[in-house]
């Protein structure tokens, strides 16, 4: 499927920036093997989250990046997820709507994430947020981001 292949370019570019050649990861391999036509919109963002978390660079999706609050986490930026109070105080603009922010928040709760449905709009917003964060972590732009967003 062309949709899956385009998204995998993004996954492998992030993988290349985070992992060393001698760092096998059975769980990541299993996740990639689970991708199919029915789940790619949901599993690709999770795989990117998983790689960032496994590399030790992912923000905590369950607490505010500024004050550590676990309430009202709806503002997602290239710096992490923020509560409504910090978002207002810091004049932050979210790259996701509330539903897509909730999807990112659910990354930290596998049971909640497992029960979610992710549509195209939400997938694009979540991928945009994760890619912006990955670019900051990797300290370079992701070449495949533009292509992926133009095609999907």
């Amino acid at each position: 499927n062309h949709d899956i292949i385009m998204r995998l370019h993004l996954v492998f570019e992030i993988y290349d920036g985070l992992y060393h050649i001698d760092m096998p990861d059975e769980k990541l391999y299993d996740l990639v093997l689970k991708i199919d036509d029915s789940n790619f919109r949901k599993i690709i963002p999770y795989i990117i989250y998983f790689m960032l978390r496994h590399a030790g660079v992912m923000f905590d999706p369950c607490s505010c990046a500024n004050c550590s609050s676990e309430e009202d986490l709806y503002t997602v930026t290239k710096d992490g997820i923020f509560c409504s109070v910090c978002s207002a105080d810091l004049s932050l603009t979210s790259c996701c709507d509330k539903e897509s922010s909730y999807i990112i928040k659910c990354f930290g709760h596998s049971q909640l994430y497992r029960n979610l449905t992710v549509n195209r709009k939400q997938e694009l917003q979540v991928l945009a947020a994760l890619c912006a964060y990955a670019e900051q972590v990797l300290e370079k732009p992701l070449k495949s981001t533009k292509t992926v967003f133009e095609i999907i």
Side-chain angles (χ1 to χ4, degrees):
N1 182 331
H2 182 69
D3 289 327
I4 294 171
I5 302 243
M6 293 309 305
R7 288 162 175 83
L8 282 174
H9 279 283
L10 184 58
V11 167
F12 292 132
E13 184 176 0
I14 294 169
Y15 176 89
D16 190 43
L18 293 174
Y19 285 70
H20 298 289
I21 196 99
D22 59 345
M23 283 179 62
D25 190 332
E26 294 289 325
K27 173 104 170 132
L28 177 59
Y29 183 70
D30 289 343
L31 286 170
V32 170
L33 288 178
K34 288 180 182 178
I35 299 169
D36 63 31
D37 290 340
S38 68
N39 69 7
F40 67 91
R41 291 194 190 283
K42 183 174 171 180
I43 199 166
I44 297 289
Y46 183 80
I47 289 171
I48 294 171
Y49 161 77
F50 175 84
M51 290 188 303
L52 290 164
R53 190 189 77 208
H54 188 262
V57 295
M58 184 64 193
F59 61 85
D60 180 356
C62 300
S63 68
C64 176
N66 190 54
C67 73
S68 300
S69 170
E70 296 179 2
E71 303 298 321
D72 255 353
L73 300 172
Y74 294 115
T75 303
V76 181
T77 72
K78 65 179 179 56
D79 298 312
I81 193 165
F82 295 84
C83 69
S84 58
V85 173
C86 291
S87 177
D89 289 348
L90 300 169
S91 300
L92 299 174
T93 303
S94 185
C95 43
C96 297
D97 60 21
K98 284 191 174 194
E99 291 82 16
S100 298
S101 298
Y102 180 75
I103 291 168
I104 292 172
K105 187 177 176 181
C106 286
F107 284 151
H109 301 284
S110 60
Q111 191 59 37
L112 287 175
Y113 193 73
R114 210 172 275 130
N115 294 324
L116 287 175
T117 302
V118 178
N119 64 34
R120 182 180 181 278
K121 175 187 161 202
Q122 292 165 334
E123 177 203 18
L124 289 172
Q125 289 181 1
V126 171
L127 283 176
L130 291 172
C131 288
Y133 185 75
E135 287 177 342
Q136 181 175 315
V137 167
L138 297 172
E139 297 178 339
K140 66 177 185 173
L142 296 170
K143 296 175 188 172
S144 56
T145 304
K146 183 180 177 195
T147 307
V148 168
F149 285 109
E150 285 177 0
I151 293 176
I152 65 172

